[in-house]
């Protein structure tokens, strides 16, 4: 099959290895979401402290930065299948210890941090491995799209499943579900995917193995190389910055619902509107648009995707708020085309570290966005904070869109650079 052939999502599922990766992703996601709810409930039940309960949930985001920067080199130094299976087994072991009745609260929080630090390494390695399984063309883009859709859907389904499960079994019993999902994921990846060599060359791997602290230097060095490239840095920021601002209404859903006098059912709708908008838009873009069309909509949609949040400035009722949230979620569909640009910009030997850095930065920036929105809401009305996020975020996105355009392979900055470094043999009459 040609690399850039596009026959929709069905062509992706026709690839046997991807079906195993997809099933492993679905299982582990459901398990993680259920365990997050159960662990938060368990900590609150043991301590009665809302702070520790909230901290338990927050610890699922904060260690991403540590794991994504200090451990990113693992993704390129070792075979992808081995990294994925070991990550799943380590997470299963950590969750298994959480289930033990004698594990103290500090131990539960520490193990939660370990699992969260492993997550970006696992996700980055899997994202890089998809280019081996699906190629670097349209199949890869659609495969990444499917995994994102599953992530959004798993959040919606996982919270419901977790609530039902906690109603019939103790919190520790619900956490046990995650042990099984991690083990099943490890088995699917071990027996359903090919064993491919590490991305680092044999010479590089040998040199790194002989130096103490090589993994740390390799991880940080990879991050410096990636962030030092103007094109890659611009693309990373285009992934991260919109995500930082779009989380504001989700972080403030509860106080906004309270300000409108809405009940728990309305709060649930507010929490679901944005993921639903994202899922619908991504399915449409992935099935109805060609690869070229998906690429053309990246910059316009990224520039305008946060504008629906300005509706909050009028402090609208439930109907208009749900519409604005759904449209903001739909704006995230620009990422489908951006995925292809990112893969094309990153050298293959840095791809694992690039994907790990992308994941870690995305999770960290969302956590910072939630914290900033909460802090701002201490001093300003919630509807003004969300509308302000829409305004500031749109201005930032416009600057980023201009930078991404200028650093494109056929953009003005790259053309000028090419003219400077082009050999003399290419500057004769044929170059006019």
């Amino acid at each position: 099959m040609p690399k850039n052939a596009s026959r929709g999502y069905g062509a992706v599922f026709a690839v046997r290895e991807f079906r195993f990766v997809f099933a492993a992703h679905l299982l582990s996601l459901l398990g993680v979401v259920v365990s997050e709810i159960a662990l938060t409930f368990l900590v609150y039940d043991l301590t009665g402290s809302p702070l520790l309960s909230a901290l338990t949930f927050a610890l699922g985001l904060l260690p991403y930065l540590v794991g994504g920067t200090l451990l990113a080199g693992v993704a390129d130094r070792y075979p992808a299948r081995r990294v994925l299976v070991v990550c799943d087994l380590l997470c299963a072991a950590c969750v298994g210890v959480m289930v033990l009745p004698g594990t103290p609260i500090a131990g539960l929080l520490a193990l939660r941090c370990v699992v969260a630090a492993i997550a970006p390494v696992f996700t980055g390695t899997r994202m890089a491995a998809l280019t081996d399984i699906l190629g670097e063309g349209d199949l890869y883009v659609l495969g990444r799209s499917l995994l994102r859709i599953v992530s959004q859907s798993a959040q919606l389904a996982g919270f419901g499943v977790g609530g039902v499960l906690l109603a019939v079994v103790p919190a520790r019993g619900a956490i046990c579900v995650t042990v099984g999902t991690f083990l099943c994921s490890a088995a699917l990846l071990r027996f359903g995917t090919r064993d491919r060599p590490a991305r680092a060359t044999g010479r590089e791997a040998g040199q790194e193995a002989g130096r103490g602290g090589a993994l740390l230097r390799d991880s940080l060095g990879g991050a410096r190389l990636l962030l030092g490239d103007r094109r890659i840095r611009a693309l990373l920021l285009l992934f991260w910055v919109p995500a930082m601002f779009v989380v504001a209404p989700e972080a403030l859903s509860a106080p906004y619902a309270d300000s409108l006098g809405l009940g728990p059912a309305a709060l649930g709708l507010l929490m679901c509107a944005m993921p639903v908008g994202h899922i619908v838009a991504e399915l449409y873009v992935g099935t109805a648009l060609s690869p070229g069309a998906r690429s053309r909509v990246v910059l316009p949609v990224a520039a305008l995707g946060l504008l629906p949040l300005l509706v909050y400035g009028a402090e609208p009722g439930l109907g208009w708020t749900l519409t604005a949230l759904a449209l903001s979620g739909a704006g995230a569909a620009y990422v489908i085309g951006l995925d292809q640009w990112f893969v094309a910009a990153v050298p293959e030997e840095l791809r694992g570290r690039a994907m790990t850095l992308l994941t870690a930065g995305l999770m960290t920036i969302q956590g910072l966005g939630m914290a900033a929105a909460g802090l701002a809401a201490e001093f300003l009305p919630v509807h003004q904070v969300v509308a302000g996020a829409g305004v500031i975020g749109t201005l930032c996105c416009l600057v980023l869109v201009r930078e991404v355009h200028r650093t494109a392979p056929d953009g003005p900055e790259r053309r000028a650079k090419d003219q400077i470094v082009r050999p003399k043999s290419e500057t004769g009459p044929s170059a006019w």
Side-chain angles (χ1 to χ4, degrees), residues 370-413:
M370 291 179 181
L375 179 62
E378 291 289 329
F379 305 97
L380 297 169
V382 171
H383 70 281
Q384 291 182 8
V385 173
V386 177
V391 172
I392 298 171
T394 298
L395 293 176
C396 292
C397 288
L398 288 172
V399 173
L400 278 175
V401 163
R402 182 174 182 273
E403 176 69 1
V404 170
H405 174 68
R406 293 182 67 84
T407 60
D410 59 347
E413 296 291 335

Side-chain angles (χ1 to χ4, degrees), residues 239-257:
F239 277 108
W240 293 341
V241 171
M244 178 179 185
F245 292 97
V246 81
V247 298
E250 288 188 305
L252 300 175
S253 290
Y256 185 72

